[in-house]
Amino acid sequence: MSKTKGFIAEFRQFIARGNVLDLAVGVIIGGSFSAITNSLVNDIINPILGIFAGGNSALSNLSFSVPGGGEVMLGSFLNAVLNFLIMAFAVFCLVKAVNRLHRKKEEAPAAPPKPSQEEVLLTEIRDLLKERT
């Protein structure tokens, strides 16, 4: 029974980490964004490309019959490729923006620390000694 409590405690500790929560938020937002890109491709891009493919139908309907009764669904494959390219571009832009933010943080020089009281006094003593000679 102690193994179970240890396992559960370890699992709670794992879940409480910030990285796991960030990952969960990312997955949820990614799923929502995936629905948006699917709609963009299926409802906007496909009908426009369907005009150029001929027949004035959506590109997703593009298919070729294969001897033996099957069909090659080229339009569905092109939909998947377009979805992937849009998602990859969005992730690229996001990573690029995050990297730019990190670079700006690194480039900002930290303000030099204020001299301690001892250093201020020693500087004054040094300056006074210079004046004497």
Side-chain angles (χ1 to χ4, degrees):
M1 189 120 152
S2 66
K3 285 185 179 181
T4 305
K5 288 183 181 179
F7 179 78
I8 291 173
E10 189 176 348
F11 180 70
R12 282 184 190 159
Q13 184 181 9
F14 173 75
I15 291 296
R17 286 187 195 163
N19 294 343
V20 174
L21 295 175
D22 292 343
L23 179 62
V25 169
V27 167
I28 291 168
I29 291 174
S32 298
F33 188 69
S34 176
I36 292 170
T37 57
N38 284 336
S39 177
L40 173 70
V41 169
N42 293 332
D43 301 333
I44 297 174
I45 296 175
N46 270 341
I48 293 171
L49 292 178
I51 293 171
F52 298 111
N56 202 17
S57 65
L59 185 65
S60 61
N61 296 333
L62 183 63
S63 63
F64 299 101
S65 297
V66 176
E71 286 198 40
V72 175
M73 303 298 291
L74 184 62
S76 295
F77 174 72
L78 291 175
N79 275 354
V81 170
L82 287 173
N83 283 335
F84 169 76
L85 291 174
I86 291 170
M87 291 290 285
F89 181 73
V91 169
F92 170 76
C93 290
L94 180 67
V95 169
K96 191 168 177 77
V98 169
N99 286 342
R100 185 178 299 138
L101 284 175
H102 285 294
R103 265 188 258 126
K104 283 186 180 180
K105 283 183 183 178
E106 291 173 0
E107 289 175 1
K114 292 184 178 180
S116 68
Q117 188 66 24
E118 291 174 348
E119 289 176 310
V120 171
L121 289 173
L122 288 172
T123 304
E124 288 176 5
I125 292 170
R126 181 198 65 201
D127 293 342
L128 287 172
L129 289 172
K130 278 186 181 179
E131 288 176 7
R132 284 182 138 183
T133 56

